[in-house]
C-alpha cells in the first residue's frame, strides 16, 4: 500500500526560531541529531535522539523529531506514540512546534486512512499558526478527497488572501471547480494562476484536465504540449492517455510529430509519442517512434521499448534481439532482465524465463520485485515450494507486497496448505484496502470463494481505471470465478481497446478455466487474425532489413591528453577534439560565423539559445543549432544537435550527439586510430 508523505514535510527539515523568548534545546545529542537530519541521515539522528531522551526524558522537541523520523520510515504507530508525547511536553507558547506536531499527527492519521482525525489535527495546527498556507493546503486537499468542496474552497480562498502571489490557492479552487464541472470558474482560476507563474508545468496540466472535461481537445493538447516543453512529463503523459478516441488521438500524435520536427535531435517527443501508443494498445504505431529514438542515439532505452512493443505483437524473435541489445549496454538493469524473462515465458521457454529472473536477483538481491519475479516463474513452472521461498524473501523486504502474498497464496493452495493460503489472501485484503484501487484484493476475495465481494471490488476499480490492463484483469477475475460469459465480455473490451499480448494470454494460468469455451476460442482466433495482419503490414514497411557489424578506423593525432580527429560538417572539413565527456558537438563563434557567411549554415538551422558549462565549471552563453549532416570516419549522420559557444577561443568538440550514433568506439593507442564498430545492412 502506498504511503502518503506530503511535500509539506520538507519545511520541517530546517526549523527557524521565530520566538526569541522560547528556549529550545541546545544539548549535544539533540543538536547532533538535528545536524544528522540536515545531512539526510535519519538513522544516525535516531541514535542521537535515543541518547538525548535517556538523558532528558522531558525533551518534547526530541520526541517531535523522533515522530518525524518514524513518519519518514512509514512506522506510523511509533510516529503517533512519539508525537503524542511531544505535544504533552512542548511549551504551549511555542506555537511553531505545536503546529508542526499537530501536522505530523495529521499525516499519521492520513496514512492510516482516518480522514476525520487528520482534519481535526490540521485544525489545531492552523489554530497555532493561522497564516501557514502549507497547513491550509494540506487540509484543503483532504476536504477535496472527501468531496467536501465548500470546506476545501474556504481553505483555498484563505490562502489567496494570505499570499496573493501564490498559485496554490487558485489551483485548489480551480481543481475543485473542475471536479464539480464548473468549468468556467475553473478556467478563470487556472488563467490567473498562469499569470502568476507562466512557466509552472502543473498549472497547464490542471487546465488541460479542465479542457478534457469539456472535450476541448485542441486546447487540452496545447496545454499538455506546453507542460512537456517546460519539463512536466509524468502528469502530462497521464492526461494524454485520456485522449484515446479518434479523431482526437490522431490529432495528438500529429501534434507530437510537429514538435519533434522543431528539433530533430530532441528525444522527448519520440519517447512520449511511442510510449503513449504502446500504453493505449497500439504497439505497431509505437515502433516507428522507438526506431527514431534509436536512430537519434538513445539505443539502450529504444531497444528496451522496442522489445516490449514487439512482444505485444507476438514478434518474439525481434523482441529477444532488442532486449539482448539493451542488455549489451547495461547488463545490470533488472527491468531488462525482467523483459527477457517475460519474452522467454511467452515463447514457452521455462528454463530461459527462470534464468533471466534469477539474474534479476543476482543484480538486485535487496529488491523485492526481483524475488517476486523469480517466485512467479518458479510458480509457473510448478515449483511451488521454491516459489514460496522467493515470495517469503520479497515479503521480508517489503511487508506490503500484495502480489507476493497473493501468489504465495496460490502456491499454498496448490500444495494443499489451506490455512496458510487463507492467511495470505486475507493479508492481501488487509493491505489492498482502498476499493478504487483494490486490483489484487479482488483476486484474493475470489480465491476465498467470496464472489460478491470480488465483483464489487472489480467494479469499483473499473470505475476509476478502464485501461486495457485493468480490463484484462477483469477478464481474468471472471475466469477465476468460472464465469466464461463475463470473462469473454471483458476480453472483447480488451481487444476493442487495442492490441494485448496473445502469448501472455496463452500462458496465463488465470485463463485456464475458459480455454475450452467456444466463445473464448472464437475471440482469440479473431484477434490472432487481426494481429497477423498488423504484423504483415509492419514487416512490409520495414522489409525485414538485416544488419551486421562492420569496423571502421579513424586516425587521430594526440595533443597532450587530447585526441584530435577530422570530421566534416555540412561538407566543411574541420578538425575536432574527440570528447566523450561532451554531451553535444560544440563549435566556437569563429567557426559558426564562417559557416554562416559561406553557406554551410542557414538561419533555419538555428534552434534557440542556452547556457553551457565547460569542464572547468565556467558558464557561457550560446546558441543551439542543427547540423544537417556530420561525416565522421565515412559514417554519415543527419540532423545532429550542436552548441555554438560565444567564446572565441572555445575548442571544437566532437560530443555524444555524434558518438552515440556511430556505434561502439575503442581507442587503439598503438595504431593511433579510433575503432568504430557499427551496423550495416547485409
Amino acid at each position: 500500500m502506498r504511503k502518503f508523505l506530503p511535500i509539506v514535510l520538507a519545511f520541517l527539515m530546517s526549523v527557524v526560531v521565530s520566538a526569541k523568548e522560547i528556549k529550545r534545546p541546545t544539548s549535544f545529542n539533540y543538536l547532533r541529531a538535528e545536524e544528522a537530519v540536515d545531512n539526510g541521515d535519519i538513522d544516525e539522528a535516531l541514535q542521537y535522539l535515543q541518547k538525548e531522551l535517556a538523558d532528558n526524558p522531558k525533551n518534547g522537541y526530541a520526541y517531535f523529531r523522533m515522530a518525524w523520523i518514524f513518519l519518514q520510515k512509514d512506522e506510523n504507530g511509533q510516529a503517533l506514540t512519539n508525537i503524542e508525547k511531544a505535544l504533552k511536553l512542548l511549551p504551549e507558547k511555542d506555537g511553531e512546534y505545536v503546529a508542526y506536531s499537530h501536522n505530523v499527527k495529521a499525516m499519521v492519521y492520513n496514512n492510516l486512512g482516518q480522514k476525520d482525525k487528520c482534519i481535526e489535527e490540521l485544525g489545531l495546527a492552523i489554530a497555532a499558526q493561522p497564516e501557514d498556507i502549507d497547513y491550509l493546503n494540506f487540509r484543503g486537499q483532504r476536504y477535496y478527497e472527501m468531496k467536501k468542496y465548500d470546506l476545501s474552497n474556504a481553505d483555498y480562498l484563505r490562502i489567496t488572501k494570505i499570499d496573493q502571489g501564490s498559485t496554490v490557492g487558485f489551483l485548489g479552487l480551480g481543481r475543485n471547480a473542475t471536479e464539480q464541472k464548473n468549468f468556467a470558474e475553473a478556467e478563470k482560476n487556472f488563467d490567473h494562476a498562469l499569470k502568476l507563474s507562466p512557466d509552472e508545468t502543473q498549472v497547464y496540466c490542471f487546465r488541460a484536465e479542465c479542457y478534457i472535461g469539456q472535450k476541448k481537445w485542441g486546447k487540452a493538447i496545447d496545454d499538455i504540449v506546453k507542460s512537456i516543453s517546460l519539463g512536466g512529463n509524468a502528469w502530462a503523459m497521464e492526461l494524454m492517455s485520456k485522449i484515446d478516441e479518434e479523431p482526437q488521438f490522431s490529432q495528438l500524435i500529429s501534434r507530437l510529430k510537429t514538435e519533434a520536427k522543431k528539433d530533430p535531435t530532441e528525444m522527448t517527443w519520440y519517447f512520449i509519442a511511442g510510449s503513449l501508443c504502446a500504453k493505449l494498445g497500439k504497439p505497431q504505431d509505437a515502433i516507428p517512434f522507438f526506431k527514431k529514438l534509436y536512430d537519434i542515439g538513445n539505443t539502450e532505452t529504444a531497444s528496451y521499448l522496442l522489445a516490449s512493443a514487439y512482444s505485444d505483437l507476438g514478434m518474439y524473435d525481434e523482441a529477444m534481439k532488442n532486449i539482448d541489445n539493451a542488455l549489451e549496454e547495461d547488463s545490470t538493469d533488472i527491468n531488462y532482465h525482467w523483459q527477457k524473462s517475460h519474452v522467454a515465458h511467452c515463447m514457452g521457454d521455462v528454463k530461459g524465463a527462470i534464468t533471466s529472473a534469477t539474474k534479476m536477483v543476482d543484480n538486485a538481491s535487496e529488491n523485492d520485485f526481483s524475488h517476486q519475479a523469480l517466485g512467479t516463474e518458479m510458480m509457473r513452472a510448478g515449483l511451488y515450494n521454491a516459489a514460496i521461498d522467493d515470495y517469503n524473501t520479497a515479503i521480508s523486504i517489503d511487508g506490503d507486497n500484495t502480489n507476493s502474498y497473493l501468489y504465495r497464496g496460490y502456491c499454498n493452495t496448490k500444495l494443499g496448505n489451506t490455512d496458510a493460503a487463507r492467511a495470505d489472501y486475507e493479508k492481501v485484503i488487509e493491505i489492498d484496502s482502498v476499493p478504487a484501487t483494490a486490483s489484487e484484493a479482488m483476486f484474493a476475495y475470489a480465491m476465498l470463494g467470496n464472489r460478491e465481494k470480488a465483483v464489487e471490488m472489480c467494479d469499483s476499480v473499473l470505475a476509476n481505471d478502464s485501461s486495457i490492463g485493468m480490463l484484462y484483469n477483469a477478464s481474468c477475475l471472471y475466469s477465476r470465478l468460472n464465469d466464461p460469459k463475463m470473462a469473454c465480455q471483458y476480453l472483447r473490451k480488451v481487444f476493442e481497446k487495442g492490441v494485448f499480448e496473445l502469448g501472455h494470454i496463452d500462458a496465463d494460468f488465470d485463463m485456464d478455466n475458459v480455454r475450452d469455451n467456444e466463445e473464448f476460442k472464437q475471440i482469440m482466433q479473431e484477434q490472432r487474425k487481426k494481429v497477423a495482419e498488423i504484423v504483415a503490414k509492419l514487416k512490409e514497411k520495414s522489409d525485414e532489413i538485416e544488419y551486421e557489424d562492420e569496423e571502421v578506423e579513424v586516425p587521430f593525432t594526440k595533443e597532450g591528453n587530447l585526441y584530435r580527429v577530422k570530421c566534416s560538417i555540412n561538407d566543411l572539413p574541420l578538425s575536432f577534439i574527440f570528447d566523450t565527456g561532451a554531451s553535444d558537438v560544440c563549435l566556437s563563434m569563429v567557426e559558426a560565423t564562417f559557416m554562416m557567411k559561406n553557406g554551410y549554415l542557414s538561419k533555419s538551422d538555428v534552434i534557440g539559445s542556452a547556457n553551457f558549462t565547460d569542464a572547468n565549471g565556467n558558464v557561457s552563453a550560446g546558441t543551439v543549432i542543427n547540423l544537417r549532416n556530420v561525416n565522421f570516419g565515412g559514417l554519415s549522420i543527419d540532423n545532429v544537435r550542436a552548441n555554438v559557444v560565444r567564446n572565441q577561443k572555445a575548442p571544437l568538440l566532437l560530443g555524444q550527439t555524434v558518438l552515440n550514433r556511430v556505434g561502439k568506439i575503442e581507442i587503439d593507442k598503438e595504431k593511433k586510430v579510433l575503432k568504430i564498430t557499427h551496423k550495416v545492412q547485409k
Side-chain angles (χ1 to χ4, degrees), residues 17-24 61 91-96:
V17 178
S18 59
K20 293 182 180 179
E21 70 276 8
I22 298 170
K23 187 177 180 181
R24 291 173 180 166
Y61 297 92
E92 291 183 12
K93 62 182 180 180
D94 196 343
E96 193 173 19

Side-chain angles (χ1 to χ4, degrees), residues 437-562:
T437 58
S439 58
E440 308 252 0
M442 68 186 194
F443 283 100
Y445 278 119
M447 295 304 296
L448 289 169
N450 192 338
R451 175 189 172 91
E452 183 179 350
K453 200 67 178 177
V455 171
E456 180 188 329
M457 290 295 103
C458 182
D459 290 344
S460 178
V461 177
L462 283 168
N464 294 277
D465 179 8
S466 59
S467 67
I468 194 168
M470 184 55 212
L471 289 169
Y472 179 71
N473 284 343
S475 181
C476 289
L477 176 71
Y478 280 103
S479 172
R480 281 273 167 192
L481 294 171
N482 287 304
D483 189 338
K485 182 180 178 181
M486 290 299 294
C488 288
Q489 179 179 312
Y490 277 107
L491 190 60
R492 285 194 183 278
K493 289 183 179 181
V494 168
F495 294 144
E496 285 169 5
K497 278 269 189 180
V499 174
F500 192 87
E501 191 172 13
L502 295 172
H504 176 74
I505 300 175
D506 290 337
D508 191 350
F509 60 85
D510 278 332
M511 285 297 192
D512 287 348
N513 289 341
V514 297
R515 291 201 192 280
D516 295 331
N517 180 270
E518 291 302 318
E519 185 181 2
F520 177 84
K521 291 179 182 178
Q522 183 183 348
I523 294 170
M524 291 294 287
Q525 186 178 358
E526 291 171 356
Q527 191 63 12
R528 290 188 205 281
K529 183 180 178 181
K530 182 179 176 181
V531 171
E533 291 172 355
I534 292 171
V535 171
K537 289 180 181 177
L538 198 63
K539 287 182 176 180
E540 282 177 17
K541 289 181 181 178
S542 63
D543 293 324
E544 288 293 292
I545 299 173
E546 294 186 13
Y547 295 90
E548 61 184 1
D549 287 341
E550 182 179 87
E551 189 174 276
V552 175
E553 294 185 349
V554 182
F556 66 77
T557 56
K558 200 162 185 296
E559 298 177 4
N561 294 322
L562 302 176

Side-chain angles (χ1 to χ4, degrees), residues 661-673:
R661 295 171 63 181
V662 296
K664 182 181 179 182
I665 300 177
E666 296 177 294
I667 301 174
D668 189 329
K669 294 182 180 179
E670 290 185 7
K671 294 177 68 176
K672 293 186 177 180
V673 295

Side-chain angles (χ1 to χ4, degrees), residues 269-286:
W269 303 108
Y270 297 113
F271 172 81
I272 289 174
S275 299
L276 181 64
C277 290
K279 184 177 181 180
L280 296 178
K282 304 175 189 290
Q284 68 276 19
D285 295 334

Side-chain angles (χ1 to χ4, degrees), residues 22 73 76 86 129 140 166 182 189 213 232 236 257 293 311 397 399 420 458 486 494 551 559 565 578 621 633 635:
I22 298 170
K73 295 165 75 71
N76 293 302
Q129 295 281 279
S166 171
N182 187 352
N189 280 285
K257 287 180 179 178
L293 194 65
S311 180
I397 296 171
C458 182
M486 290 299 294
V494 168
E551 189 174 276
E559 298 177 4
V565 295
F578 172 76
L635 304 177

